[in-house]
Structures are given as structure tokens and as C-alpha cells.
Amino acid sequence: MSRSRTFSWDDPSVSAAAVGQESGLDFLNELLAGRLPAPPLAATLGFTLEEVEYGRAVFVLAPGEEHYNPIGSMHGGVYATLLDSAAGCAVQSTLPAGMGYTSIDLNVKFLRPSTVDTGKVRAVGTVLNSGRRLALAQAELFDSADRLLAHATSSCLLFPVPPQ
């Protein structure tokens, strides 16, 4: 039995041009409010930024069959994408105007599977330490009953963003 899914996205260059023009928290609040377009990957996978505050970011996703691996549960790459997004945006929320970041690494521990029956999952990212050039963040993925599904740590490189 065949299934299909259709989605659309907005021009990613709009958000990319806004990076570093204001604080990272202000940038993320613009995304959250819909005044800047979400990245195309969010539409592709169907996840959204739900909360953001200084040093913390939360993404949500309702697992669907389109997220499955061959053994019938959500693919580890989807877990990793959610965790990387939450950890990275937690770091971004702490950056002043003129600064950007990129992930250097992501270390993921998978603890429980999830399926369409799991319900909405939440990736909660928090900053553990931030310096002038590097930041360390963690992210945890929870199911709708607040059980831990996966945990990750991420190192991020901080760098100046030239003014537009």
C-alpha cells in the first residue's frame, strides 16, 4: 500500500541573511513568531520550534511512518536532527549580535524507540558552558509521558558574522 506526503517551505535565504544581525535570542524569537521562515528541514521532517529562552530551546515532532527505519521505529537520524537542533539553538540563544555558531560534533545515546503510538516528542536543549570560541550544550528527547528517549551532547564553534 503506497503512501505519500506533500510539504512546502519558504526561501531559506531570508532567515540566513538575518543570522547575526541581532542577538541569537531575538533571531530565534522571530522564527518562533513566524516573522522569519523556518528552515526547509523543519518542513521536510515536520518539526517545529516550540519554546526558546536564553540558554534553552525546545523542538517538537509527532512521529509518523515517514520517520521510520526498516525495523518500524523512528530513525536515529531523526532523533539526531531534533537533538542537534535543540542543542544548537540553545547555544544560538546566548549569542550577541554579530556572532554565529556551527556544530563541531554531536554525541547521541539512544535509549528507547518511538513510533506513531508514542505521541509528540520534545527535544530540550540547554547550554552547559560557553566561552569566547566554544560552547557545550546538551539535548534530551522526551516522549509525551516525559520518558527519556535519547540524550546528546554537542560542541559548537562560535565565530563572528560579518554585517550584511
Side-chain angles (χ1 to χ4, degrees):
M1 185 185 296
S2 178
R3 290 165 169 81
S4 66
R5 184 169 164 251
T6 303
F7 55 92
S8 61
W9 62 91
D10 293 312
D11 181 357
S13 68
V14 174
S15 293
V19 172
Q21 303 309 304
E22 55 190 342
S23 75
L25 184 58
D26 288 342
F27 172 83
L28 291 168
N29 276 317
E30 290 294 299
L31 282 174
L32 186 62
R35 291 185 288 270
L36 284 174
L41 184 60
T44 303
L45 292 179
F47 69 94
T48 57
L49 177 63
E50 186 173 76
E51 299 174 39
V52 65
E53 61 187 66
Y54 188 88
R56 184 174 182 272
V58 179
F59 286 86
V60 296
L61 173 125
E65 289 180 340
E66 66 274 15
H67 302 120
Y68 279 13
N69 58 27
I71 61 173
S73 62
M74 191 159 65
H75 192 282
V78 178
Y79 275 55
T81 299
L82 290 167
L83 293 164
D84 182 57
S85 297
C89 286
V91 168
Q92 187 171 17
S93 74
T94 67
L95 299 179
M99 291 297 289
Y101 82 96
T102 190
S103 299
I104 296 173
D105 62 23
L106 182 71
N107 185 335
V108 180
K109 302 296 183 197
F110 302 99
L111 304 173
R112 288 187 166 94
S114 60
T115 67
V116 295
D117 297 328
T118 302
K120 187 191 301 186
V121 298
R122 282 179 307 113
V124 180
T126 54
V127 174
L128 298 173
N129 187 48
S130 188
R132 288 183 304 130
R133 306 275 308 213
L134 293 174
L136 177 66
Q138 72 172 0
E140 298 170 303
L141 187 66
F142 297 99
D143 68 11
S144 56
D146 280 336
R147 289 178 298 200
L148 187 62
L149 301 173
H151 177 268
T153 55
S154 176
S155 302
C156 296
L157 176 66
L158 311 180
F159 56 86
V161 175
Q164 295 284 330

